[in-house]
Amino acid sequence: MLVDGKNYEGIWLDEDDPAVVKVINQQKLPFSFEISDLRCVEDAWQAIREMVVRGAPLIGVTGAYGMYLATLEINAYTNVPDHLSNAARYLISSRPTAVNLSLSVNYVLKKLLNNIHSKNLSRIALTAARETAEKEKNLCREIGIHGLKLIEDLSKEKEGEPVNILTHCNAGWLACIDYGTALAPVYFAHDRGIPVHVWVDETRPVNQGARLTAWELGKKGVPYTLIPDNTGGYLMQKGMVDVVIVGSDRTSSTGDVVNKIGTYLKALAAHDTNIPFYAAVPSTSIDMQITDAYSEVIIEERPPEEVTMIKGIEDGEMHQVRICPENTIAANWGFDITPARLVTGLITEKGIIRANSEDIKNLFSD
Ligand code: MRU
């Protein structure tokens, strides 16, 4: 995706120093555009944990690059299989909810363990990490193509009036290497000249919508309006939303969608007002092992400071201020579960399907 005329993806290897992995620091956006260096497994863990990188596909690929960094830590005394398995376990422990993380890390680990006597483990890990990035990118592109059809149809129904899409969190290219999941159809529609307008939920407490989705859409020239998280229901009642499209960190084999906290409330409002609610889900975010998201998915709990404090910019300086009485006890669950019955459909790389085990199994049994 272009940022001020230069093409970026979410993660890449430093051209001048192959011991350094580069990422866009999403903690700093939109206040400043900064690139951070990852030089060891610990750096990759921290970047994921502290949301320097975030979004299910990108944390998966960062984990995969973390495995590459693990191979650079090998020396003559290293028990290589143990070292790599420990690194994989450690990287996966950084955030519990998105399934892409374990998928991508284990992909690289398996390649390495299958070639454990190779003199070129770093090359193998790098190739595998790049494969995970390429895969996530391609899946997003396909999601964009299938989701575009949906927006085209709505645009026809509205006879060319802008299609109003409500989205929650950031499921754009920043979260996904390139294109995005929920935002890929929006970008594709905008590129084809279909008038679209996006209602951007601010997405408290970390404000991924206000900081990241607004920034992405602005860079691309897509019209958007930022709204507080609790506004969507009212807009839906007023007929000001044509479709809700969100991403997913883990979708169960039965079609329950785990996504950023607050997604469920949007789905409830959409259901009540008969507005289609879609989750854009690459197969890398579908967990075929899980049939009951409520008991089987770990919902991340994050530091209370993310709730009690808020970041902003004044006179070019980033500030963090408290927004509640001192010593307030705050709770901070990162994700919620939208039951399949509230989901109109899943926009996947293979097409739009119903959120149920039959459709998911038919398409993704391999
Ligand atoms: O906590 P985050 O910012 O990593 O959460 C991200 C989301 O909830 C996204 O909607 C999800 O990862 C889908 S991204 C393509």
Side-chain angles (χ1 to χ4, degrees):
M1 200 55 90
L2 287 178
V3 180
D4 302 331
K6 191 169 172 212
N7 202 36
Y8 283 93
E9 293 190 350
I11 187 166
W12 65 97
L13 192 71
D14 189 339
E15 275 173 19
D16 302 321
D17 183 354
V20 177
V21 174
K22 301 270 194 192
V23 292
I24 298 168
N25 187 336
Q26 298 192 30
Q27 281 283 15
K28 299 283 170 85
L29 281 172
F31 313 119
S32 62
F33 184 78
E34 291 179 25
I35 308 298
S36 294
D37 292 350
L38 313 181
R39 296 171 182 274
C40 58
V41 175
E42 179 65 28
D43 284 354
W45 189 92
Q46 291 281 350
I48 299 171
R49 180 77 187 166
E50 287 167 16
M51 296 171 78
V52 168
V53 289
R54 34 113 350 248
L58 182 60
I59 65 176
V61 177
T62 306
Y65 271 98
M67 290 304 293
Y68 162 67
L69 293 170
T71 63
L72 303 181
E73 294 170 0
I74 293 170
N75 62 40
Y77 305 101
T78 307
N79 176 327
V80 180
D82 280 2
H83 170 71
L84 295 173
S85 302
N86 290 338
R89 239 191 326 274
Y90 181 58
L91 287 162
I92 291 169
S93 76
S94 55
R95 290 191 78 188
T97 305
V99 65
N100 309 55
L101 179 57
S102 54
L103 189 81
S104 296
V105 167
N106 285 328
Y107 177 77
V108 183
L109 177 66
K110 196 168 163 200
K111 293 262 177 184
L112 290 169
L113 293 179
N114 285 344
N115 294 280
I116 203 69
H117 299 299
S118 165
K119 295 254 169 310
N120 229 333
L121 283 177
S122 295
R123 172 60 46 197
I124 291 167
L126 182 59
T127 304
R130 283 179 165 151
E131 281 166 7
T132 65
E134 217 35 45
K135 177 167 183 173
E136 294 289 12
K137 190 169 132 181
N138 291 337
L139 299 185
C140 286
R141 190 175 45 235
E142 296 303 312
I143 283 175
I145 292 167
H146 293 297
L148 168 64
K149 176 82 181 57
L150 206 73
I151 297 178
E152 269 172 348
D153 290 348
L154 286 167
S155 177
K156 276 185 204 139
E157 267 173 42
K158 294 193 77 179
E159 297 177 346
E161 283 295 300
V163 177
N164 290 301
I165 300 140
L166 186 141
T167 194
H168 191 68
C169 196
N170 171 262
W173 72 268
L174 283 169
C176 305
I177 314 297
D178 211 348
Y179 305 106
T181 53
L183 292 189
V186 176
Y187 290 139
F188 280 37
H190 177 75
D191 283 345
R192 277 157 189 75
I194 298 172
V196 288
H197 164 262
V198 183
W199 296 110
V200 177
D201 278 354
E202 60 178 349
T203 319
R204 283 281 291 144
V206 180
N207 286 333
Q208 290 95 329
R211 295 189 303 106
L212 306 173
T213 301
W215 181 81
E216 270 196 30
L217 293 172
K219 290 278 169 215
K220 186 80 179 146
V222 177
Y224 70 89
T225 306
L226 178 65
I227 49 172
D229 286 330
N230 31 24
T231 304
Y234 173 70
L235 297 182
M236 291 185 218
Q237 287 174 326
K238 297 284 282 182
M240 293 164 79
V241 177
D242 297 305
V243 62
V244 181
I245 310 182
V246 299
S248 172
D249 286 78
R250 194 183 291 244
T251 289
S252 73
S253 64
T254 53
D256 296 330
V257 173
V258 181
N259 191 49
K260 181 52 54 193
I261 193 87
T263 301
Y264 171 49
L265 294 177
K266 297 296 128 69
L268 278 174
H271 185 73
D272 189 50
T273 50
N274 277 323
I275 287 163
F277 176 98
Y278 287 92
V281 187
S283 52
T284 46
S285 299
I286 298 178
D287 190 340
M288 293 303 269
Q289 310 300 320
I290 285 186
T291 51
D292 179 8
Y294 297 89
S295 62
E296 295 173 85
V297 176
I298 300 175
I299 299 294
E300 179 180 16
E301 291 185 52
R302 295 196 54 86
E305 292 74 29
E306 287 180 352
V307 180
T308 58
M309 310 289 286
I310 198 160
K311 267 191 229 163
I313 191 160
E314 194 181 50
D315 298 333
E317 292 278 316
M318 196 158 94
H319 296 278
Q320 200 169 9
V321 294
R322 181 162 43 79
I323 56 163
C324 53
E326 236 177 316
N327 303 321
T328 291
I329 294 171
N332 190 8
W333 284 276
F335 300 90
D336 62 21
I337 303 163
T338 299
R341 70 187 159 79
L342 298 179
V343 179
T344 311
L346 304 176
I347 310 172
T348 77
E349 72 269 18
K350 293 191 181 176
I352 301 179
I353 57 172
R354 291 171 303 164
N356 63 32
S357 13
E358 196 191 336
D359 277 23
I360 292 176
K361 216 153 139 204
N362 279 344
L363 224 54
F364 297 113
S365 50
D366 54 334

